[in-house]
Amino acid sequence: MLKHLLSSLPLLLLASPAVLAAPADIDQGQVTSVSQFSDVQPTDWAFAALQSLVERYGCIAGYPNATYRGNRALTRYEFAAGLNACLDRINELIATSTSNLVNQEDLAVLQKLQTDFAGELATLRGRVDTLEARTATLEQQQFSTTTKLSGQIITAVSDTFGNKVGGTRDESNLFFATRGRLNLESSFTGKDLLRVRLEFGNFANTTGSSQIAAATGTGMTRLNFDNDSNNDLFVPHIRYYFPVSDSLSFVVGPVGIGYNDITDNVTPAAIADDGNGIPSLFGKNSLLFERGGGGAAANWKISEDLILTLGYLANSPNNPSPKNGLFDGGYNALAHLVYYGKQGAVGVAYSQGYSPGGSVDITAGRGSALSSAPFGDSIATSNSMVGVQGYYRFSPNFQVHAWGGYIWATAKNSGFSNISNGRGSTDSLFVNSGDNANAWFGAIGMSFPDVGGKGNLPGILLGLPPRVAHSDVREEGDNSYHIEAFYRWRLNDHISVTPGVWMILNPENNSNNDTQYVGVLRTTFDF
């Protein structure tokens, strides 16, 4: 038997490189029967030898696509790898057999093969030793066996053009700022996920407001990533996801949990990405999803294409003082049903919230000051919001997304309050408990994945920022219009550069204000 193995080996190795041990760039798989090779026929001149080595000795391998490629050229390294595999099999036979398998002729053939390929065998052993050493080093120096570290650094050069809202001159200057995030993601069961985020940034002025919003007098000019911590490192987000069955999962977190973290905002991920999507804050996704704090949510997979999310998030769950905590302070509750089709999705959402006086921001900084606090910041305000959002991919290179919503707001106490007049200042007006205000908003966008190059993303968006159309206290008579275009240029898997520009007609929903133009050049590093 051993003699037959030795005599067959040179023949088969000369016939093909499909051996058990192969170069790193060739993925091969062991077979147990020669019939598994789709390109080997019984009429082939080396069929018998191949059948013997495969089925009797198991030291020849094929390719993952069930081929042997017997006519392919063979390198000496590949020959040595096959020889080494069969030598190991010979040693196994010798060690486990009690019969006299080896004679002088066999040993002579074996010795000659070992001598002829001594250099290649030594090289292979050296490669294995090096690989084992590198593996040991990685195991000793890896960050964690259960935790993955990822990061994103955004830098942006930006400026705006146009007189400040209510002003007579352009008060903005060209600026250069950054935001960085590090995500630590751990899994303890293979299905759950714990994320802890570290963040720093300097997109703010000395008062803590967004630089662009302060300079232009409106939040409609804000960037999608203009977070600020004066470059101090802090933890803004902790989220834990865990499934309890194939159809039911939960998300919990004490800080930095928004609707975007508990449900799908039904906007293409490439658009809503802070660092690689649309540059404007308004254009990211429906403002309905931009609210939260800390709390929990459940996701019920009703069917393969239908998911229901129910969530409750408190504004300040960590604060035990009166008018705070999980259930005595500001909160937002969500019900969201999403249907997924083959080329798109559509969702219907309802949100109910309450904001204590001093922390009212219904539209999450994305609209006019009046739409954010229709009764002023000092009046506690409840709000109900309904939204519809969806997207559709017409082709791999063209997709459309849209969203729209309506807001009902109610004053929860009475008193004089400073209410925005749409011209950069406020008026003191009396608000009655129970006063109502209504606002609406919407947008439609088109984007073109991979147009101009793989990983690139040009896109445009037309939108109507939230406008107070009816109010018992103060209404807005004009509509603002948001018109935006951007082009994400993917340099490689880790770096992208995005020039973007948008203009706001009738900022703060007031035609007396000058048009605002925003330009930005964003560079994003993902690692």
Side-chain angles (χ1 to χ4, degrees):
M1 182 168 65
L2 178 61
K3 181 176 181 179
H4 181 78
L5 172 61
L6 290 171
S7 62
S8 301
L9 177 62
L11 182 66
L12 265 295
L13 292 180
L14 288 173
S16 172
V19 293
L20 185 63
D25 61 339
I26 300 178
D27 185 14
Q28 296 178 327
Q30 185 64 47
V31 296
T32 58
S33 173
V34 71
S35 63
Q36 294 177 249
F37 294 133
S38 62
D39 59 343
V40 174
Q41 305 298 325
T43 55
D44 291 336
W45 65 272
F47 179 83
L50 177 61
Q51 184 179 42
S52 176
L53 288 176
V54 170
E55 299 180 4
R56 297 180 62 186
Y57 305 112
C59 63
I60 294 295
Y63 291 84
N65 63 352
T67 61
Y68 183 66
R69 304 183 192 177
N71 294 322
R72 182 182 169 286
L74 174 72
T75 68
R76 288 179 65 84
Y77 282 126
E78 290 171 333
F79 189 102
L83 173 62
N84 189 61
C86 288
L87 288 176
D88 289 341
R89 179 59 176 157
I90 291 171
N91 290 329
E92 181 182 345
L93 290 172
I94 293 173
T96 58
S97 178
T98 58
S99 61
N100 183 18
L101 295 174
V102 183
N103 55 40
Q104 293 299 319
E105 182 181 354
D106 294 336
L107 291 177
V109 174
L110 178 61
Q111 185 176 20
K112 186 175 186 305
L113 287 171
Q114 288 177 309
T115 301
D116 291 346
F117 289 89
E120 286 79 1
L121 290 171
T123 300
L124 284 174
R125 294 189 183 99
R127 288 181 176 180
V128 172
D129 292 341
T130 300
L131 181 60
E132 289 178 345
R134 290 179 177 177
T135 301
T137 301
L138 286 174
E139 290 177 347
Q140 294 173 0
Q141 298 180 356
Q142 65 181 330
F143 176 75
S144 170
T145 57
T146 61
T147 301
K148 176 184 176 181
L149 172 64
S150 62
Q152 183 182 79
I153 304 296
I154 299 172
T155 64
V157 177
S158 183
D159 198 359
T160 66
F161 307 91
N163 293 339
K164 182 177 181 179
V165 168
T168 59
R169 63 186 182 91
D170 183 346
E171 297 186 13
S172 68
N173 292 300
L174 184 70
F175 69 94
F176 182 34
T178 186
R179 190 201 74 182
R181 285 178 171 176
L182 299 175
N183 287 327
L184 305 174
E185 296 186 340
S186 303
S187 181
F188 309 103
T189 67
K191 296 181 179 180
D192 62 337
L193 182 67
L194 172 66
R195 180 192 299 136
V196 178
R197 176 175 295 157
L198 306 177
E199 183 175 311
F200 62 89
N202 63 352
F203 280 92
N205 58 22
T206 56
T207 65
S209 303
S210 163
Q211 286 183 352
I212 289 184
T216 61
T218 177
M220 297 179 181
T221 56
R222 286 186 59 184
L223 300 169
N224 187 9
F225 41 85
D226 62 2
N227 308 56
D228 172 68
S229 65
N230 197 29
N231 273 336
D232 293 331
L233 189 66
F234 71 112
V235 180
H237 172 82
I238 299 175
R239 176 186 183 270
Y240 182 56
Y241 161 84
F242 62 97
V244 296
S245 70
D246 291 339
S247 60
L248 183 62
S249 62
F250 292 90
V251 175
V252 296
V255 63
I257 302 297
Y259 285 174
N260 284 316
D261 299 304
I262 64 175
T263 190
D264 184 355
N265 58 35
V266 204
T267 301
I271 297 296
D273 188 308
D274 294 1
N276 295 288
I278 194 166
S280 73
L281 185 65
F282 172 76
K284 176 182 178 182
N285 52 248
S286 172
L287 61 88
L288 182 148
F289 296 95
E290 300 300 324
R291 54 207 67 246
N299 286 281
W300 176 27
K301 189 176 183 180
I302 301 172
S303 66
E304 287 299 321
D305 51 14
L306 193 64
I307 296 179
L308 174 65
T309 299
L310 300 175
Y312 176 88
L313 304 175
N315 292 2
S316 53
N318 62 313
N319 190 341
S321 63
K323 304 300 180 183
N324 286 282
L326 273 174
F327 303 110
D328 195 34
Y331 73 89
N332 289 280
L334 173 71
H336 188 208
L337 185 66
V338 182
Y339 172 79
Y340 294 91
K342 292 183 178 180
Q343 294 178 265
V346 62
V348 179
Y350 174 77
S351 175
Q352 171 69 43
Y354 170 78
S355 300
S359 60
V360 180
D361 186 7
I362 296 175
T363 57
R366 285 159 169 74
S368 65
L370 185 63
S371 68
S372 177
F375 312 113
D377 186 51
S378 63
I379 301 295
T381 305
S382 66
N383 70 85
S384 297
M385 192 179 308
V386 63
V388 178
Q389 46 282 327
Y391 64 88
Y392 190 82
R393 298 187 183 96
F394 290 89
S395 73
N397 303 114
F398 176 56
Q399 59 190 8
V400 174
H401 68 282
W403 68 77
Y406 197 81
I407 305 169
W408 295 265
T410 302
K412 306 305 290 184
N413 62 280
S414 301
F416 282 97
S417 180
N418 293 324
I419 299 176
S420 172
N421 61 14
R423 292 285 290 157
S425 59
T426 61
D427 298 323
S428 181
L429 302 176
F430 189 82
V431 178
N432 291 300
S433 179
D435 280 348
N436 295 307
N438 306 115
W440 57 278
F441 60 91
I444 183 170
M446 292 177 285
S447 51
F448 310 87
D450 297 330
V451 169
K454 184 175 178 56
N456 294 349
L457 181 69
I460 59 175
L461 183 126
L462 307 175
L464 297 170
R467 166 182 173 251
V468 179
H470 168 76
S471 175
D472 294 329
V473 180
R474 170 168 281 170
E475 300 176 356
E476 293 175 313
D478 301 309
N479 286 313
S480 295
Y481 297 95
H482 179 111
I483 305 171
E484 181 171 9
F486 68 96
Y487 187 91
R488 184 189 72 200
W489 180 29
R490 175 66 67 182
L491 298 182
N492 55 46
D493 290 341
H494 303 286
I495 304 175
S496 69
V497 176
T498 307
V501 61
W502 66 95
M503 65 177 179
I504 306 296
L505 305 175
N506 307 326
E508 293 292 294
N509 294 308
N510 192 320
S511 59
N512 292 318
N513 294 321
D514 282 358
T515 298
Q516 291 289 331
Y517 300 89
V518 184
V520 61
L521 181 64
R522 177 187 64 198
T523 302
T524 303
F525 304 87
D526 293 293
F527 55 92

